[in-house]
Amino acid sequence: MLLVREIVVILFIKNIANCEKPFKSVPVIVKSYENDTVLLPCYLEGAESKLRVRWYKDSTLLGDSEDAHHHLPPRVRMHANYSLQVDTLGSEDTADYTCEVVRPEPWGPIRQTHSIEVQYSPTVRTIPEDGFLEVRKGEFVDIGCETTGTPEPIVDWRKNGEPMALLDHRSRIKFRAEHRLLAGVYECTANNGVGSPIRAAIRVVIHDAPVVTAERTFVHTAVGLRAALIAKVEFAIPPARISWYRDGRPVNTDERVLIIAQENVHQLIFRSVRMTDLGNYTFRAENKLGMADISFKLTGIPNTPSFKVDPALNKATSTSFTLIWEVDSYSTIIEYILWLRQYHGRHVNTEPDSFTTAPTANFWSKIVVPGDSRDGPIHSAIYVVRGLTPSTVYEAIVTARNRFGWSKQSAVLHFATEPGVGEIKPATIDDTDITPYLEDLEPETYNVSQAQIFEFIDDSKGTGTHETPYLPGMLSFTLIIIIFSSS
Ligand SMILES: *[C@@H]1O[C@H](CO)[C@@H](O)[C@H](O)[C@H]1NC(C)=O
Ligand SMILES: *[C@@H]1O[C@H](CO)[C@@H](O)[C@H](O)[C@H]1NC(C)=O
Ligand SMILES: *[C@@H]1O[C@H](CO)[C@@H](O)[C@H](O)[C@H]1NC(C)=O
Ligand SMILES: *[C@@H]1O[C@H](CO)[C@@H](O)[C@H](O)[C@H]1NC(C)=O
């Protein structure tokens, strides 16, 4: 007696062309599991007489009914009704099985083909096998997840937990390690609907020269204060050697000048700055693939001044405008220089071509504004520019000087004067009532050194109103300095 333990049969009309009329059985695809038994039919319509039947596995002859089981391999049997039974299925049994009925002359043989698919849950083997790949920047990365399983598993990838936008379900991923950010954990998932999906991961490590950053490279200080130069090593594989230099020589440390490292943050600390500490410093991180430098300037010069935009304080008339600015300096501000000129840029006119027509003289005027006598650190000034032209847009830049030197230039402030008395505002130009705004450009792009300069130095030291000498083509200015000091 035959015990057919479990037969999982899923019937499909596999191939109509194969299903010739005389067959009573229909072609089937049997999806089954390991160790199961499968029975494949081979019945002819109204066949009572004895037939001669051969079974083939793919194109290999398995057995012949006239040849009494002679060719049948282990685990395979042909029954008296010509059904083929395969026991204890294994992966090697996945194949097409063809039953061939040999008929007497003049008829040729007829055939019917079935399939067995022994289903296996997926397995994954990573490439490289240990799931770890280390390359130098620029080298080739070749990783993969080789899968087994029937049906063939579908492979999906994630990098550092995020799904990767690949166009197909490839098992191999190959790329050039062009950038350190390509490093990470590449995880594959293999799924074929049989059992649970299988995951595996490959960690890719890319060696590269260090990357260092600093939030502040221009460090403003004063004698007697504590100051710190801070650099961050964002990346270093292999680990970097760290050093601080001053003028090309390693910084000498003692109980006043310290080097501190916490995780990837490196500090050069001056507990109490001396005059001789001011200067240029370099932080260097170096490994065998390269080095990264960051230059610092420990300086007493003022920070970059900035104009304040405040509608309540930026008072405009037809001929004057009130400017306000602020600067950080630990030392007394000796003077400011305010650069001013009419603005003929893209904002002046809404007519597309109008500003190209008038290359009018557009020189910077230089106004020296006395500083204050406070120690700061925050110094503020208010200055009323007078003698301006009504309905005109101007731009301004300010720099500050203390005993250590000149600050960098501020961002550019744009402002406009009001229309004159009885003047009708030009309908097409309404930019003249623009609210003041600060331009986002690097002020260095304004080549002040190249601009023609009209100089006027106010020597009244900021006391009250001052009559300015007449300068041809120049504005006259009235100076009011108001000094604030915080702390
Ligand atoms: C099939 O039989 C073998 C041998 O007894 C056993 O190792 C294997 O786990 C079985 N497979 C399944 C899916 O039960
Ligand atoms: C063919 O014979 C086998 C074994 O005796 C039996 O299990 C199977 O049901 C038979 N098929 C038909 C259609 O009679
Ligand atoms: C510091 O570096 C700047 C350029 O960044 C250079 O102009 C200046 O002379 C240097 N100062 C010293 C003290 O070397
Ligand atoms: C600024 O002017 C100087 C002197 O004429 C010139 O050498 C330099 O190239 C100019 N810089 C820019 C950014 O135009």
Side-chain angles (χ1 to χ4, degrees):
M1 287 281 14
L2 284 167
L3 276 178
V4 178
R5 191 168 61 80
E6 189 185 348
I7 302 182
V8 181
V9 178
I10 301 161
L11 289 167
F12 292 93
I13 302 302
K14 195 196 173 199
N15 187 342
I16 300 296
N18 250 348
C19 181
E20 292 181 46
K21 279 270 151 59
F23 279 104
K24 206 164 139 192
S25 51
V26 290
V28 294
I29 298 173
V30 183
K31 298 200 173 191
S32 189
Y33 294 95
E34 194 181 12
N35 300 339
D36 286 350
T37 292
V38 164
L39 200 57
L40 299 173
C42 184
Y43 308 136
L44 282 193
E45 195 73 61
E48 299 90 25
S49 60
K50 206 163 155 45
L51 303 170
R52 180 173 190 182
V53 172
R54 290 191 185 115
W55 277 97
Y56 295 85
K57 178 183 180 182
D58 293 326
S59 54
T60 311
L61 180 67
L62 284 179
D64 185 335
S65 60
E66 299 286 274
D67 198 356
H69 300 186
H70 181 72
H71 292 287
L72 285 170
R75 302 188 288 108
V76 180
R77 271 178 281 177
M78 201 195 305
H79 292 298
N81 58 16
Y82 308 112
S83 293
L84 190 77
Q85 180 171 334
V86 185
D87 293 319
T88 326
L89 286 173
S91 57
E92 67 278 16
D93 298 319
T94 295
D96 287 344
Y97 292 83
T98 303
C99 137
E100 181 184 70
V101 179
V102 184
R103 296 179 297 178
E105 292 295 338
W107 299 296
I110 52 170
R111 297 182 186 89
Q112 184 171 60
T113 299
H114 309 284
S115 296
I116 294 177
E117 192 177 286
V118 185
Q119 303 194 83
Y120 283 89
S121 57
T123 66
V124 171
R125 195 174 61 87
T126 59
I127 301 167
E129 210 148 358
D130 62 359
F132 186 76
L133 184 66
E134 245 177 317
V135 297
R136 283 178 170 224
K137 184 181 171 181
E139 286 179 346
F140 211 58
V141 172
D142 181 359
I143 55 175
C145 282
E146 286 196 338
T147 60
T148 65
T150 310
E152 195 175 325
I154 285 173
V155 179
D156 285 303
W157 288 91
R158 296 173 89 85
K159 187 198 163 198
N160 297 333
E162 293 295 318
M164 291 176 73
L166 298 173
L167 295 177
D168 53 12
H169 296 285
R170 67 190 69 180
S171 61
R172 290 294 269 269
I173 295 187
K174 298 174 188 185
F175 58 88
R176 197 171 290 285
E178 310 265 21
H179 198 281
R180 63 192 166 85
L181 294 180
L182 292 168
V185 176
Y186 290 79
E187 187 189 55
C188 64
T189 305
N191 188 10
N192 67 353
V194 182
S196 320
I198 303 288
R199 285 180 222 287
I202 302 115
R203 176 179 291 278
V204 175
V205 173
I206 296 174
H207 289 208
D208 196 4
V211 175
V212 300
T213 59
E215 267 174 37
R216 256 168 192 278
T217 56
F218 183 89
V219 178
H220 173 66
T221 188
V223 171
L225 295 181
R226 181 186 186 277
L229 309 183
I230 305 169
K232 199 167 168 187
V233 177
E234 301 285 351
F235 171 88
I237 299 177
R241 215 154 20 89
I242 300 304
S243 33
W244 287 95
Y245 294 94
R246 173 166 188 189
D247 305 326
R249 260 170 267 142
V251 171
N252 292 323
T253 56
D254 50 30
E255 63 281 352
R256 191 181 63 83
V257 181
L258 317 166
I259 290 172
I260 291 180
Q262 278 172 313
E263 310 245 318
N264 61 341
V265 177
H266 299 263
Q267 298 191 62
L268 178 61
I269 292 173
F270 303 85
R271 283 188 157 151
S272 168
V273 171
R274 290 183 186 162
M275 198 66 187
T276 52
D277 294 331
L278 301 181
N280 295 336
Y281 292 83
T282 303
F283 173 77
R284 174 168 297 171
E286 193 172 8
N287 65 17
K288 66 172 191 275
L289 293 179
M291 68 181 187
D293 279 355
I294 284 202
S295 297
F296 289 87
K297 200 177 183 81
L298 184 65
T299 177
I301 69 171
N303 273 342
T304 306
S306 58
F307 285 109
K308 297 292 149 211
V309 176
D310 180 345
L313 297 170
N314 295 127
K315 290 197 190 71
T317 70
S318 59
T319 57
S320 74
F321 195 87
T322 306
L323 295 170
I324 306 139
W325 63 86
E326 232 173 55
V327 65
D328 292 355
S329 169
Y330 289 112
S331 315
T332 304
I333 296 290
I334 297 164
E335 60 182 345
Y336 300 101
I337 287 185
L338 188 59
W339 303 90
L340 200 72
R341 68 175 177 187
Q342 278 196 25
Y343 184 57
H344 296 294
R346 59 199 178 279
H347 299 287
V348 172
N349 203 310
T350 50
E351 298 282 303
D353 297 322
S354 57
F355 71 92
T356 59
T357 56
T360 50
N362 191 21
F363 304 131
W364 287 101
S365 304
K366 177 181 173 183
I367 307 163
V368 177
V369 177
D372 60 55
S373 55
R374 311 295 177 91
D375 280 343
I378 299 175
H379 304 254
S380 300
I382 292 191
Y383 183 79
V384 181
V385 192
R386 296 191 194 277
L388 301 175
T389 311
S391 299
T392 304
V393 179
Y394 290 88
E395 52 187 348
I397 293 171
V398 66
T399 59
R401 181 168 76 92
N402 65 13
R403 68 191 180 98
F404 296 100
W406 283 102
S407 73
K408 293 183 185 167
Q409 297 168 16
S410 69
V412 177
L413 177 80
H414 293 243
F415 63 91
T417 49
E418 294 283 303
V421 178
E423 190 187 342
I424 296 158
K425 221 185 256 187
T428 54
I429 305 172
D430 62 352
D431 304 79
T432 49
D433 62 9
I434 58 166
T435 43
Y437 69 94
L438 280 166
E439 200 169 87
D440 222 6
L441 293 171
E442 278 289 312
E444 276 81 0
T445 61
Y446 286 75
N447 203 336
V448 172
S449 65
Q450 204 180 26
Q452 188 171 337
I453 290 164
F454 294 91
E455 232 173 278
F456 150 57
I457 300 191
D458 186 291
D459 56 1
S460 66
K461 294 287 170 267
T463 48
T465 315
H466 181 79
E467 281 300 313
T468 58
Y470 174 75
L471 292 165
M474 256 300 288
L475 315 159
S476 73
F477 301 99
T478 302
L479 179 62
I480 302 168
I481 304 294
I482 300 171
I483 293 146
F484 300 100
S485 180
S486 76
S487 77

